[in-house]
Amino acid sequence: MYEKVLVAGWGDMDFNAHMRNTAYLDKAADVRMMYFSSCGFSMSEFMRIRLGPVVMKDEIEYFREFQLLDDVRITLSLAGLSDDGSRMTLRNDFYRQGTLAARVTSTAGWLDLNRRKLVCPPEALMQALRELARSEDFVVLPDSSR
């Protein structure tokens, strides 16, 4: 299971003194990009091959609060993947002191940055997706490449 420990920082807080909703989305995206970078797909590599992840839907579930300077352990798993790899559902679970505090589930695809269309990822990126742990509710998604 891929995971990172981040910190709930000052800029992540809302008026009620807990982590704001968009901070969860930001941290989920950071962990996803850290994973792809660890697999050889840094931002510069994505720009070189003119490919980028595009999120089509995010869902956030909240169970516990994070407060300023709490450690935030975030895992990444694969909740869905199309056979051609053009679509995926990525799951980030957020833990506070070992307890599930929130979950971000994002449905995404791979965007050809020149043609502005969903495409199949290169084989090395497809392999990185296949190597992610699968969630218990993993589903096969329909292909959407054009």
mmCIF file of all heavy atoms in Angstrom, residues 81-112:
data_model
loop_
_atom_site.group_PDB
_atom_site.id
_atom_site.type_symbol
_atom_site.label_atom_id
_atom_site.label_comp_id
_atom_site.label_asym_id
_atom_site.label_seq_id
_atom_site.Cartn_x
_atom_site.Cartn_y
_atom_site.Cartn_z
ATOM 1 N N LEU A 81 -10.478 0.615 -12.709
ATOM 2 C CA LEU A 81 -9.595 0.810 -13.858
ATOM 3 C C LEU A 81 -10.268 0.214 -15.084
ATOM 4 O O LEU A 81 -10.838 -0.879 -15.016
ATOM 5 C CB LEU A 81 -8.246 0.120 -13.613
ATOM 6 C CG LEU A 81 -7.159 0.316 -14.668
ATOM 7 C CD1 LEU A 81 -6.725 1.770 -14.759
ATOM 8 C CD2 LEU A 81 -5.965 -0.588 -14.374
ATOM 9 N N SER A 82 -10.206 0.945 -16.191
ATOM 10 C CA SER A 82 -10.704 0.381 -17.452
ATOM 11 C C SER A 82 -9.630 -0.537 -18.023
ATOM 12 O O SER A 82 -8.447 -0.409 -17.712
ATOM 13 C CB SER A 82 -11.051 1.499 -18.442
ATOM 14 O OG SER A 82 -9.902 2.247 -18.774
ATOM 15 N N ASP A 83 -10.043 -1.469 -18.859
ATOM 16 C CA ASP A 83 -9.092 -2.419 -19.441
ATOM 17 C C ASP A 83 -7.998 -1.714 -20.228
ATOM 18 O O ASP A 83 -6.853 -2.151 -20.231
ATOM 19 C CB ASP A 83 -9.813 -3.428 -20.336
ATOM 20 C CG ASP A 83 -10.619 -4.439 -19.531
ATOM 21 O OD1 ASP A 83 -10.277 -4.679 -18.355
ATOM 22 O OD2 ASP A 83 -11.590 -4.991 -20.087
ATOM 23 N N ASP A 84 -8.350 -0.605 -20.906
ATOM 24 C CA ASP A 84 -7.344 0.103 -21.696
ATOM 25 C C ASP A 84 -6.584 1.146 -20.879
ATOM 26 O O ASP A 84 -5.675 1.796 -21.389
ATOM 27 C CB ASP A 84 -7.971 0.728 -22.944
ATOM 28 C CG ASP A 84 -8.914 1.889 -22.641
ATOM 29 O OD1 ASP A 84 -9.156 2.204 -21.453
ATOM 30 O OD2 ASP A 84 -9.423 2.494 -23.604
ATOM 31 N N GLY A 85 -6.964 1.330 -19.610
ATOM 32 C CA GLY A 85 -6.273 2.259 -18.728
ATOM 33 C C GLY A 85 -6.634 3.715 -18.916
ATOM 34 O O GLY A 85 -6.096 4.587 -18.238
ATOM 35 N N SER A 86 -7.562 4.017 -19.801
ATOM 36 C CA SER A 86 -7.910 5.410 -20.066
ATOM 37 C C SER A 86 -8.704 6.040 -18.915
ATOM 38 O O SER A 86 -8.715 7.262 -18.768
ATOM 39 C CB SER A 86 -8.700 5.531 -21.367
ATOM 40 O OG SER A 86 -9.948 4.844 -21.262
ATOM 41 N N ARG A 87 -9.363 5.221 -18.109
ATOM 42 C CA ARG A 87 -10.144 5.715 -16.964
ATOM 43 C C ARG A 87 -9.723 4.967 -15.720
ATOM 44 O O ARG A 87 -9.403 3.779 -15.770
ATOM 45 C CB ARG A 87 -11.644 5.500 -17.192
ATOM 46 C CG ARG A 87 -12.180 6.327 -18.346
ATOM 47 C CD ARG A 87 -13.676 6.155 -18.490
ATOM 48 N NE ARG A 87 -14.336 6.686 -17.307
ATOM 49 C CZ ARG A 87 -15.496 6.227 -16.823
ATOM 50 N NH1 ARG A 87 -16.096 5.217 -17.402
ATOM 51 N NH2 ARG A 87 -16.040 6.773 -15.780
ATOM 52 N N MET A 88 -9.772 5.670 -14.583
ATOM 53 C CA MET A 88 -9.398 5.062 -13.305
ATOM 54 C C MET A 88 -10.178 5.725 -12.185
ATOM 55 O O MET A 88 -10.659 6.853 -12.329
ATOM 56 C CB MET A 88 -7.899 5.217 -13.071
ATOM 57 C CG MET A 88 -7.474 6.660 -12.917
ATOM 58 S SD MET A 88 -5.734 6.873 -13.216
ATOM 59 C CE MET A 88 -5.797 8.381 -14.186
ATOM 60 N N THR A 89 -10.310 4.994 -11.110
ATOM 61 C CA THR A 89 -10.844 5.549 -9.876
ATOM 62 C C THR A 89 -9.782 5.338 -8.809
ATOM 63 O O THR A 89 -9.374 4.198 -8.557
ATOM 64 C CB THR A 89 -12.168 4.874 -9.465
ATOM 65 O OG1 THR A 89 -13.117 5.040 -10.524
ATOM 66 C CG2 THR A 89 -12.727 5.492 -8.194
ATOM 67 N N LEU A 90 -9.308 6.447 -8.247
ATOM 68 C CA LEU A 90 -8.256 6.399 -7.239
ATOM 69 C C LEU A 90 -8.853 6.723 -5.874
ATOM 70 O O LEU A 90 -9.704 7.598 -5.757
ATOM 71 C CB LEU A 90 -7.142 7.393 -7.586
ATOM 72 C CG LEU A 90 -6.455 7.099 -8.922
ATOM 73 C CD1 LEU A 90 -5.528 8.245 -9.308
ATOM 74 C CD2 LEU A 90 -5.690 5.793 -8.855
ATOM 75 N N ARG A 91 -8.406 6.020 -4.862
ATOM 76 C CA ARG A 91 -8.931 6.179 -3.507
ATOM 77 C C ARG A 91 -7.824 6.615 -2.574
ATOM 78 O O ARG A 91 -6.770 5.992 -2.530
ATOM 79 C CB ARG A 91 -9.508 4.843 -3.052
ATOM 80 C CG ARG A 91 -9.851 4.661 -1.613
ATOM 81 C CD ARG A 91 -11.257 5.061 -1.218
ATOM 82 N NE ARG A 91 -12.319 4.859 -2.165
ATOM 83 C CZ ARG A 91 -12.990 3.724 -2.378
ATOM 84 N NH1 ARG A 91 -12.679 2.623 -1.733
ATOM 85 N NH2 ARG A 91 -13.979 3.685 -3.243
ATOM 86 N N ASN A 92 -8.060 7.704 -1.867
ATOM 87 C CA ASN A 92 -7.143 8.164 -0.828
ATOM 88 C C ASN A 92 -7.864 8.072 0.506
ATOM 89 O O ASN A 92 -8.913 8.694 0.684
ATOM 90 C CB ASN A 92 -6.720 9.618 -1.050
ATOM 91 C CG ASN A 92 -5.870 9.792 -2.284
ATOM 92 O OD1 ASN A 92 -6.370 10.187 -3.326
ATOM 93 N ND2 ASN A 92 -4.593 9.499 -2.178
ATOM 94 N N ASP A 93 -7.321 7.271 1.426
ATOM 95 C CA ASP A 93 -7.844 7.196 2.793
ATOM 96 C C ASP A 93 -6.942 8.032 3.684
ATOM 97 O O ASP A 93 -5.715 7.951 3.608
ATOM 98 C CB ASP A 93 -7.895 5.754 3.283
ATOM 99 C CG ASP A 93 -9.021 4.967 2.637
ATOM 100 O OD1 ASP A 93 -10.038 5.571 2.233
ATOM 101 O OD2 ASP A 93 -8.891 3.731 2.535
ATOM 102 N N PHE A 94 -7.560 8.853 4.530
ATOM 103 C CA PHE A 94 -6.860 9.760 5.442
ATOM 104 C C PHE A 94 -7.026 9.221 6.858
ATOM 105 O O PHE A 94 -8.156 8.998 7.314
ATOM 106 C CB PHE A 94 -7.489 11.156 5.390
ATOM 107 C CG PHE A 94 -7.246 11.893 4.098
ATOM 108 C CD1 PHE A 94 -7.797 11.458 2.890
ATOM 109 C CD2 PHE A 94 -6.482 13.043 4.090
ATOM 110 C CE1 PHE A 94 -7.581 12.155 1.717
ATOM 111 C CE2 PHE A 94 -6.259 13.742 2.917
ATOM 112 C CZ PHE A 94 -6.803 13.290 1.726
ATOM 113 N N TYR A 95 -5.902 9.055 7.552
ATOM 114 C CA TYR A 95 -5.924 8.509 8.911
ATOM 115 C C TYR A 95 -5.383 9.515 9.910
ATOM 116 O O TYR A 95 -4.362 10.160 9.672
ATOM 117 C CB TYR A 95 -5.083 7.228 8.984
ATOM 118 C CG TYR A 95 -5.657 6.095 8.177
ATOM 119 C CD1 TYR A 95 -5.313 5.917 6.850
ATOM 120 C CD2 TYR A 95 -6.571 5.208 8.757
ATOM 121 C CE1 TYR A 95 -5.848 4.877 6.106
ATOM 122 C CE2 TYR A 95 -7.107 4.163 8.013
ATOM 123 C CZ TYR A 95 -6.741 4.011 6.692
ATOM 124 O OH TYR A 95 -7.282 2.980 5.961
ATOM 125 N N ARG A 96 -6.077 9.623 11.026
ATOM 126 C CA ARG A 96 -5.632 10.444 12.159
ATOM 127 C C ARG A 96 -5.412 9.503 13.328
ATOM 128 O O ARG A 96 -6.346 8.841 13.773
ATOM 129 C CB ARG A 96 -6.691 11.491 12.520
ATOM 130 C CG ARG A 96 -6.275 12.394 13.668
ATOM 131 C CD ARG A 96 -7.310 13.497 13.874
ATOM 132 N NE ARG A 96 -6.944 14.328 14.983
ATOM 133 C CZ ARG A 96 -7.461 14.202 16.215
ATOM 134 N NH1 ARG A 96 -8.398 13.306 16.454
ATOM 135 N NH2 ARG A 96 -7.061 14.986 17.177
ATOM 136 N N GLN A 97 -4.186 9.396 13.780
ATOM 137 C CA GLN A 97 -3.807 8.518 14.889
ATOM 138 C C GLN A 97 -4.332 7.094 14.677
ATOM 139 O O GLN A 97 -4.866 6.467 15.587
ATOM 140 C CB GLN A 97 -4.302 9.092 16.215
ATOM 141 C CG GLN A 97 -3.702 10.450 16.527
ATOM 142 C CD GLN A 97 -4.267 11.073 17.784
ATOM 143 O OE1 GLN A 97 -5.323 10.677 18.270
ATOM 144 N NE2 GLN A 97 -3.565 12.063 18.289
ATOM 145 N N GLY A 98 -4.183 6.591 13.457
ATOM 146 C CA GLY A 98 -4.553 5.224 13.132
ATOM 147 C C GLY A 98 -6.014 4.981 12.825
ATOM 148 O O GLY A 98 -6.405 3.868 12.482
ATOM 149 N N THR A 99 -6.842 6.022 12.923
ATOM 150 C CA THR A 99 -8.276 5.889 12.686
ATOM 151 C C THR A 99 -8.645 6.563 11.365
ATOM 152 O O THR A 99 -8.197 7.682 11.093
ATOM 153 C CB THR A 99 -9.085 6.545 13.831
ATOM 154 O OG1 THR A 99 -8.736 5.904 15.054
ATOM 155 C CG2 THR A 99 -10.581 6.421 13.605
ATOM 156 N N LEU A 100 -9.466 5.866 10.556
ATOM 157 C CA LEU A 100 -9.916 6.446 9.294
ATOM 158 C C LEU A 100 -10.681 7.735 9.585
ATOM 159 O O LEU A 100 -11.688 7.719 10.298
ATOM 160 C CB LEU A 100 -10.805 5.454 8.536
ATOM 161 C CG LEU A 100 -11.322 5.920 7.174
ATOM 162 C CD1 LEU A 100 -10.175 6.163 6.196
ATOM 163 C CD2 LEU A 100 -12.306 4.905 6.602
ATOM 164 N N ALA A 101 -10.191 8.844 9.034
ATOM 165 C CA ALA A 101 -10.795 10.145 9.299
ATOM 166 C C ALA A 101 -11.547 10.689 8.088
ATOM 167 O O ALA A 101 -12.512 11.441 8.249
ATOM 168 C CB ALA A 101 -9.719 11.137 9.725
ATOM 169 N N ALA A 102 -11.108 10.326 6.888
ATOM 170 C CA ALA A 102 -11.761 10.815 5.672
ATOM 171 C C ALA A 102 -11.362 9.928 4.505
ATOM 172 O O ALA A 102 -10.385 9.184 4.578
ATOM 173 C CB ALA A 102 -11.367 12.259 5.403
ATOM 174 N N ARG A 103 -12.125 10.049 3.433
ATOM 175 C CA ARG A 103 -11.854 9.285 2.216
ATOM 176 C C ARG A 103 -12.165 10.172 1.017
ATOM 177 O O ARG A 103 -13.225 10.786 0.948
ATOM 178 C CB ARG A 103 -12.725 8.041 2.185
ATOM 179 C CG ARG A 103 -12.637 7.254 0.880
ATOM 180 C CD ARG A 103 -13.359 5.942 0.973
ATOM 181 N NE ARG A 103 -12.518 5.057 1.787
ATOM 182 C CZ ARG A 103 -12.990 4.028 2.493
ATOM 183 N NH1 ARG A 103 -14.282 3.761 2.513
ATOM 184 N NH2 ARG A 103 -12.154 3.279 3.185
ATOM 185 N N VAL A 104 -11.215 10.220 0.083
ATOM 186 C CA VAL A 104 -11.420 10.914 -1.185
ATOM 187 C C VAL A 104 -11.380 9.865 -2.285
ATOM 188 O O VAL A 104 -10.416 9.106 -2.395
ATOM 189 C CB VAL A 104 -10.335 11.985 -1.439
ATOM 190 C CG1 VAL A 104 -10.472 12.570 -2.843
ATOM 191 C CG2 VAL A 104 -10.410 13.093 -0.389
ATOM 192 N N THR A 105 -12.437 9.808 -3.080
ATOM 193 C CA THR A 105 -12.509 8.898 -4.213
ATOM 194 C C THR A 105 -12.630 9.760 -5.464
ATOM 195 O O THR A 105 -13.570 10.559 -5.579
ATOM 196 C CB THR A 105 -13.701 7.936 -4.083
ATOM 197 O OG1 THR A 105 -13.586 7.229 -2.842
ATOM 198 C CG2 THR A 105 -13.746 6.948 -5.228
ATOM 199 N N SER A 106 -11.670 9.603 -6.372
ATOM 200 C CA SER A 106 -11.611 10.443 -7.567
ATOM 201 C C SER A 106 -11.668 9.582 -8.816
ATOM 202 O O SER A 106 -10.896 8.633 -8.955
ATOM 203 C CB SER A 106 -10.316 11.250 -7.578
ATOM 204 O OG SER A 106 -10.224 12.069 -6.434
ATOM 205 N N THR A 107 -12.564 9.928 -9.717
ATOM 206 C CA THR A 107 -12.643 9.285 -11.021
ATOM 207 C C THR A 107 -11.887 10.178 -11.993
ATOM 208 O O THR A 107 -12.134 11.383 -12.049
ATOM 209 C CB THR A 107 -14.101 9.100 -11.463
ATOM 210 O OG1 THR A 107 -14.774 8.306 -10.484
ATOM 211 C CG2 THR A 107 -14.179 8.417 -12.823
ATOM 212 N N ALA A 108 -10.954 9.584 -12.722
ATOM 213 C CA ALA A 108 -10.068 10.376 -13.576
ATOM 214 C C ALA A 108 -9.776 9.640 -14.870
ATOM 215 O O ALA A 108 -10.144 8.475 -15.035
ATOM 216 C CB ALA A 108 -8.764 10.666 -12.824
ATOM 217 N N GLY A 109 -9.095 10.324 -15.749
ATOM 218 C CA GLY A 109 -8.652 9.741 -17.002
ATOM 219 C C GLY A 109 -7.341 10.372 -17.402
ATOM 220 O O GLY A 109 -6.827 11.263 -16.715
ATOM 221 N N TRP A 110 -6.794 9.918 -18.512
ATOM 222 C CA TRP A 110 -5.536 10.447 -19.032
ATOM 223 C C TRP A 110 -5.830 11.326 -20.231
ATOM 224 O O TRP A 110 -6.377 10.868 -21.226
ATOM 225 C CB TRP A 110 -4.587 9.315 -19.418
ATOM 226 C CG TRP A 110 -4.186 8.524 -18.220
ATOM 227 C CD1 TRP A 110 -4.567 7.250 -17.913
ATOM 228 C CD2 TRP A 110 -3.362 8.968 -17.147
ATOM 229 N NE1 TRP A 110 -4.014 6.877 -16.708
ATOM 230 C CE2 TRP A 110 -3.273 7.917 -16.201
ATOM 231 C CE3 TRP A 110 -2.685 10.150 -16.860
ATOM 232 C CZ2 TRP A 110 -2.539 8.010 -15.032
ATOM 233 C CZ3 TRP A 110 -1.953 10.251 -15.689
ATOM 234 C CH2 TRP A 110 -1.877 9.183 -14.794
ATOM 235 N N LEU A 111 -5.451 12.597 -20.121
ATOM 236 C CA LEU A 111 -5.751 13.581 -21.149
ATOM 237 C C LEU A 111 -4.529 13.825 -22.025
ATOM 238 O O LEU A 111 -3.451 14.183 -21.513
ATOM 239 C CB LEU A 111 -6.180 14.902 -20.491
ATOM 240 C CG LEU A 111 -6.618 16.015 -21.421
ATOM 241 C CD1 LEU A 111 -7.936 15.637 -22.113
ATOM 242 C CD2 LEU A 111 -6.766 17.319 -20.645
ATOM 243 N N ASP A 112 -4.692 13.628 -23.331
ATOM 244 C CA ASP A 112 -3.672 14.028 -24.296
ATOM 245 C C ASP A 112 -3.702 15.554 -24.333
ATOM 246 O O ASP A 112 -4.715 16.154 -24.707
ATOM 247 C CB ASP A 112 -4.003 13.436 -25.670
ATOM 248 C CG ASP A 112 -3.003 13.818 -26.742
ATOM 249 O OD1 ASP A 112 -2.695 15.032 -26.875
ATOM 250 O OD2 ASP A 112 -2.541 12.920 -27.459
#
